[in-house]
């Protein structure tokens, strides 16, 4: 029974992280467009067994690392940004990260989206992507699994499964 509670807690945490990322991603839809100049761009990778970026190994996680400079829309101050998206995460899908890398590397200037309430918060890609939906679904599956495990582990049979005693009189 304790295992079911562990799955409920883990599922709830993953579910809430997914909801947080989804809400944060939706907020970018109200951000203002700006122009950023690419200062640095590289494809980073990390071995799952190592904490060092740029290390070699079989289980790799890839991420496009970008740095750009832009003039704030609020006060024309020159600032630096480094986010592709608010929910951009490393993954082992090198092909998708290479697509992003090639698209950004083909230009010197890119459209960025600036938070009108916080001039230091920017991203290159606004809106929602699949990461938040994946986390929400994965968390919900953990919770449903735990609830079904709890239902199956009860010792009392359901009301419909009762077998009534019948006496036969001859």
């Amino acid at each position: 029974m304790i295992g079911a509670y562990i799955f409920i807690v883990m599922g709830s945490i993953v579910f809430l992280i997914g909801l947080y990322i989804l809400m944060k991603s939706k907020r970018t839809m109200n951000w203002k467009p700006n122009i950023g100049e690419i200062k640095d761009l590289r494809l980073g990778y990390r071995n799952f067994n190592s904490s060092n970026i740029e290390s070699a190994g079989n289980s790799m996680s890839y991420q496009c690392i970008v740095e750009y400079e832009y003039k704030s829309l609020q006060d024309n101050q020159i600032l630096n940004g480094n986010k592709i998206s608010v929910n951009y995460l490393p993954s082992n899908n090198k092909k998708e990260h290479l697509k992003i890398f090639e698209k950004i590397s083909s230009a010197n200037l890119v459209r960025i989206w600036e938070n009108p309430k916080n001039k230091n918060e920017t991203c290159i890609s606004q809106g929602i992507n699949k990461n938040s939906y994946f986390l929400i679904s994965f968390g919900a599956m953990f919770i449903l699994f735990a609830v079904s495990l709890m239902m199956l582990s009860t010792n009392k049979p359901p009301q419909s499964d009762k077998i009534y005693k019948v006496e036969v009189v001859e």
Side-chain angles (χ1 to χ4, degrees):
M1 193 64 130
I2 257 181
Y5 292 119
I6 291 171
F7 275 101
I8 287 176
V9 169
M10 286 176 25
S12 298
I13 290 170
V14 171
F15 186 83
L16 290 173
I17 289 171
L19 278 178
Y20 173 75
I21 290 172
L22 179 69
M23 290 184 336
K24 195 168 181 176
S25 301
K26 274 187 154 182
R27 282 192 319 202
T28 64
M29 299 303 288
N30 298 323
W31 290 7
K32 304 294 181 200
N34 198 347
I35 301 295
E37 182 181 354
I38 301 296
K39 294 296 181 183
D40 186 29
L41 178 67
R42 62 190 186 280
L43 187 65
Y45 55 93
R46 180 175 290 167
N47 184 340
F48 284 120
N49 301 324
S50 171
S51 61
N52 298 333
I53 195 102
E54 311 291 339
S55 62
N58 293 335
S59 298
M60 301 301 289
S61 176
Y62 299 92
Q63 181 177 17
C64 189
I65 301 166
V66 65
E67 291 178 24
Y68 49 88
E69 194 174 82
Y70 63 98
K71 276 188 180 180
S72 170
L73 294 172
Q74 295 172 7
D75 56 10
N76 282 335
Q77 182 182 5
I78 295 178
L79 299 169
N80 294 313
N82 62 3
K83 286 194 182 217
I84 291 178
S85 172
V86 294
N87 58 353
Y88 178 68
L89 300 171
S91 72
N92 63 349
N93 189 348
K94 185 177 182 178
K95 186 177 179 182
E96 290 300 316
H97 295 284
L98 276 173
K99 280 183 191 176
I100 296 168
F101 178 82
E102 289 168 359
K103 186 159 189 163
I104 295 174
S105 66
S106 68
N108 189 31
L109 299 174
V110 291
R111 178 173 316 282
I112 62 169
W113 301 93
E114 183 180 333
N115 185 348
K117 296 177 183 173
N118 180 1
K119 63 183 178 184
N120 294 312
E121 193 174 12
T122 58
C123 63
I124 293 175
S125 174
Q126 74 175 153
I128 302 165
N129 69 23
K130 297 179 272 185
N131 292 340
S132 55
Y133 293 125
F134 172 76
L135 290 173
I136 290 170
S137 301
F138 196 68
M141 286 185 345
F142 263 73
I143 293 168
L144 289 174
F145 174 73
V147 169
S148 64
L149 191 65
M150 288 173 72
M151 289 174 63
L152 291 173
S153 69
T154 59
N155 292 333
K156 294 180 182 178
Q159 198 70 358
S160 61
D161 289 349
K162 273 190 175 175
I163 299 176
Y164 296 98
K165 289 187 178 182
V166 178
E167 286 185 36
V168 178
V169 180
E170 285 186 44

